[in-house]
Structure formats: structure tokens, C-alpha cells
Amino acid sequence: MKTIVYLAGAAASCWLAFSSAAADSKPNTLSSSEVAQGWILLFDGDTPFGWAPRGEARWEVADGIIKAVPGSGSGMLSTTTEFASYQLQADFWVDDKANSGVFLRSPASGEITSANAYEVNIYDPHESWPTGSINEVARTSLKPQTTGRWNTFDITADGDHLVVRLNGQTGLDTHHSKLARGTIALQYRGEGEVRFRNLKLKPLGLKSIFNGKDLTGWKEIPGRKSVFSVTPEGYLNVKNGNGDLQTEAVYGDFMFQLDIISNGTHLNSGVFFRALPGQFWSGYESQIRNQWSGDDRTKPVDFGTGGIYNRQPARRVISSDREWFTQTIVAHGPHLTVWVNGIQVSDFTDMRPPAESARQGYRAKPGVLSLQGHDPTTDLSFRNLRIGEMPPARD
């Protein structure tokens, strides 16, 4: 397989070839059950999309593995997206020379260290913090032997509760409240070889915002043509349009997951966020449109499902009409990210001057979520709407 070398500042140049039929067997994929549970992939197996280097180390993707180029210098590879409470799984391989780590809740920019992030160490012979320990926080109870083979971390960071499992065994279960949110980063210290694969995350602590019985907690903008209702199955359905159904609550920095089905061909809708209460089709919009040019899903029509409408098209249309799919939206500060069926399809940072409405400029203030009825052909249903607000950003 062709190697993609990821130098500092380089952009990913190829797209994910996703096959749902193979999702249960291929590395760096999710099963249908995992998608339904809310898991997302942090690494698609083919590109470094959603990651950014910090430091001298160069990173490359080859044969479903992401690794530092041996001898390229020390540095980090960090997600561009911040996360708060989650379960993280990651496979790693190190030789007997490499000293590495998986860093949790790292700062969004600048240097990453064990002083400003939680470092889950990867270095068996460390006297104080052998593999599976969190440096300066808690030592693992296990006696790790990880060199020269693949190993799996299963890490829970749920509020102040931190749990580290290594190859199925719990080695650390502690509480620590130093950090509440941040990026996830991989470390290379300049010697030996370290590899990673199967990096995936399940958000924790999301709360339902739709009861499946009625539209309690939601408000419809009056005078529009859309009809919003709850189906006998407990789905939130919208037909006809145009229209706008908004939450009563407002949200600023958050992770939002929901299941969606388009009950027609190439129907157009959207999920708005940080929108202005009572104002029609305001805010940022995560597009819903399962359409692409010809047979090429990397060429979305009208920004494509998961694209940030009028800002960044989806890099690939993952979902299809008449099939349920799961959309995950993460917003923190100017950074907006969307996954569809666990595959990251957009990664946008709003560099525009601040404005009251996200239609005119960057909006950081909390706003409502809203579901769009687009036109007379609209017929979409939504279920399992759940959201988690992020703790405040660090100073």
C-alpha cells in the first residue's frame, strides 16, 4: 500500500475508502453495533485527517498504521478536536528502544507535556511510571511486557474518574480533577519505533434531548410549512418545508449525536447549532444531503451530509438515503467537526471575524440546536438525540 508521509503542516491528500460490508473485520473500522453505541474513529486507517503534528517528529500512514518516522526527532501528533468524557481504545506497538505515550485532555495548541495533560505512559522499564501508568498521577498495578507485539489500551476518562486497562486487565482506577477537556495526542521521543492503529472513541455522559413521545423541550418557528411530529415508533419526523424546529435550551461547546434517516431520494435538510433563538435558519449548519456526483462519493453535491454548509464540504458522503445513519457533531470555540457513521467527514476552523449570527461570522456564544425542513419534498426522521456539554476551556 502506498505510504502517505505526514510532514508538519501537510494536508491529507487522499480519501477514505469506506466499506460498511467489511466494517466487522478490517482494522480501523467500526461494526454496526459500535456505530449504534456512538463510537467514532479517530484514525481512518488511510489518512491523517483530523490530526496535526507538534514538534519535530514526522508521521506517516502505511498499511493501516500511523507511526512516527524513526529518528525524525521528538514530537506529538494531536487530534484537532477536543474531547471531555469518553472511552478511548488504541492499539500500540513499540520496540525496546521507544519511549511513548497517549496523552489525554491536552492543550489545543502549543507544547504538550505530562504537566498540562494526562500522559498514559508507554515504556515498560520506567522506574516510576511503567506502561499503563498516568505519569505524576497514578502507577499501574500491572507488570507490563509490551515490546515487540501489538497491545491494546482501553482508557476511560469520565469526569475526574480515570481508568486504564491494558490488554484486558485493569491496572489503574483513580480520580483526578486537574484537567477536564482537551485533545488526544500520540508521542514519539525520537528513538526506536512506535506504531498505532484502531484509535476509536465513545463519548460518555450524553443526555437525551428528545423523549420519543412529544416535542417537549422543542419550539417550532411559527408561520412555516414544515410539519414536525412524533411517529408511532417514537421518531421525530419532519415533512414539507420550509421550517425550523429549535431546542429551548442553548449550547455552546458540546458533542451532539443523533440518528437520521432520509425517507426519499437526495432530500435536503440540516442540523443547525449555535443558532439564534426564534430566528429562522440561523447558526452553523451540518448539512444532510446524501448525494454525490456520478459514482464518486468524494464529490458531494451541495456540501454533502456532514459538511459544514457554505464553509466546508464533506470529504466523502458516507450515508445513503433510506438507511439510518448516525451523525456526531463536536463544536468547541471556532473548531467544528462532524462524523457520519463514525467516519470523520469535516474538520473546520472558523477564522472569520466575530458576529452575532454564524451566518455572518464566527459565533462563539451558545445558541439553540435546530432541525430543518427544507422544501415540499422533505421527509426525514430523527431518533436518539443526545448531547453532552463540554466543561469550560482552559485559560
Side-chain angles (χ1 to χ4, degrees):
M1 180 179 291
K2 181 181 179 181
T3 298
I4 306 164
V5 178
Y6 190 39
L7 302 177
S13 60
C14 70
W15 305 121
L16 167 70
F18 176 78
S19 171
S20 59
D24 292 326
S25 58
K26 287 182 60 178
N28 306 305
T29 59
L30 297 172
S31 68
S32 56
S33 175
E34 287 175 314
V35 171
Q37 294 170 37
W39 285 92
I40 60 175
L41 287 175
L42 299 182
F43 168 52
D44 63 27
D46 291 323
T47 78
F49 189 78
W51 295 82
R54 304 190 204 177
E56 296 178 352
R58 303 197 314 273
W59 299 80
E60 65 181 11
V61 174
D63 300 323
I65 295 167
I66 192 163
K67 65 178 183 178
V69 176
S72 63
S74 62
M76 298 280 190
L77 187 68
S78 171
T79 61
T80 57
T81 301
E82 294 187 57
F83 303 95
S85 290
Y86 52 82
Q87 181 181 353
L88 172 69
Q89 293 183 357
D91 293 348
F92 67 91
W93 186 101
V94 289
D95 63 14
D96 58 3
K97 295 181 180 179
N99 184 335
S100 182
V102 176
F103 285 66
L104 318 176
R105 297 177 178 168
S106 307
S109 61
E111 186 180 13
I112 298 172
T113 70
S114 58
N116 62 17
Y118 292 121
E119 178 184 359
V120 183
N121 207 18
I122 302 175
Y123 188 56
D124 293 351
H126 198 290
E127 293 183 359
S128 300
W129 314 111
T131 301
S133 303
I134 300 179
N135 288 21
E136 310 300 331
V137 174
R139 180 187 174 99
T140 182
S141 62
L142 305 176
K143 296 180 179 180
Q145 295 180 331
T146 63
T147 58
R149 65 186 182 96
W150 282 103
N151 305 272
T152 299
F153 273 148
D154 189 324
I155 302 167
T156 298
D158 188 5
D160 69 351
H161 190 194
L162 306 174
V163 181
V164 179
R165 298 178 181 87
L166 175 63
N167 297 328
Q169 293 185 290
T170 300
L172 185 158
D173 187 334
T174 191
H175 289 263
H176 199 273
S177 58
K178 177 176 69 172
L179 304 165
R181 70 183 248 192
T183 68
I184 294 166
L186 312 176
Q187 182 189 47
Y188 181 64
R189 296 191 65 175
E191 293 183 345
E193 185 171 354
V194 59
R195 312 168 190 165
F196 296 93
R197 69 182 185 190
N198 291 331
L199 295 146
K200 55 187 178 181
L201 179 147
K202 178 184 178 181
L204 300 177
L206 305 189
K207 297 180 179 179
S208 175
I209 56 172
F210 170 59
N211 62 23
K213 299 177 181 179
D214 55 40
L215 298 179
T216 299
W218 295 78
K219 286 184 177 181
E220 185 176 349
I221 291 183
R224 299 290 174 172
K225 294 182 180 180
S226 291
V227 177
F228 295 93
S229 65
V230 180
T231 70
E233 300 87 353
Y235 309 149
L236 197 167
N237 177 259
V238 53
K239 286 186 172 68
N240 206 346
N242 52 34
D244 194 338
L245 182 70
Q246 301 184 342
T247 58
E248 294 178 353
V250 297
Y251 306 93
D253 289 1
F254 60 83
M255 174 177 275
F256 181 36
Q257 289 190 320
L258 70 165
D259 300 336
I260 306 167
I261 188 169
S262 171
N263 300 307
T265 302
H266 302 159
L267 301 185
N268 193 331
S269 183
V271 178
F272 290 81
F273 52 98
R274 293 187 189 161
L276 299 169
Q279 292 197 23
F280 184 67
W281 290 5
S282 64
Y284 296 100
E285 179 184 357
S286 175
Q287 173 74 309
I288 302 171
R289 186 160 180 172
N290 302 323
Q291 187 177 4
W292 51 91
S293 297
D295 296 327
D296 190 349
R297 284 180 177 254
T298 67
K299 296 180 179 178
V301 170
D302 200 24
F303 289 83
T305 297
I308 307 299
Y309 189 74
N310 272 343
R311 299 288 167 254
Q312 185 184 80
R315 65 185 184 127
R316 181 177 177 86
V317 181
I318 301 294
S319 50
S320 298
D321 292 326
R322 299 179 180 87
E323 296 178 3
W324 283 101
F325 63 91
T326 299
Q327 189 167 116
T328 301
I329 304 170
V330 180
H332 56 81
H335 192 77
L336 316 174
T337 315
V338 182
W339 285 258
V340 176
N341 282 346
I343 307 300
Q344 189 174 355
V345 297
S346 58
D347 190 47
F348 173 70
T349 300
D350 195 347
M351 303 300 292
R352 297 175 298 166
E356 181 65 15
S357 170
R359 290 295 198 185
Q360 281 76 51
Y362 164 54
R363 177 180 171 89
K365 295 179 182 177
V368 296
L369 305 174
S370 72
L371 306 177
Q372 181 191 52
H374 187 270
D375 57 64
T377 69
T378 296
D379 183 1
L380 289 95
S381 293
F382 305 84
R383 68 184 184 189
N384 297 329
L385 293 87
R386 61 254 191 222
I387 195 166
E389 295 184 83
M390 284 195 184
R394 66 181 75 191
D395 296 332

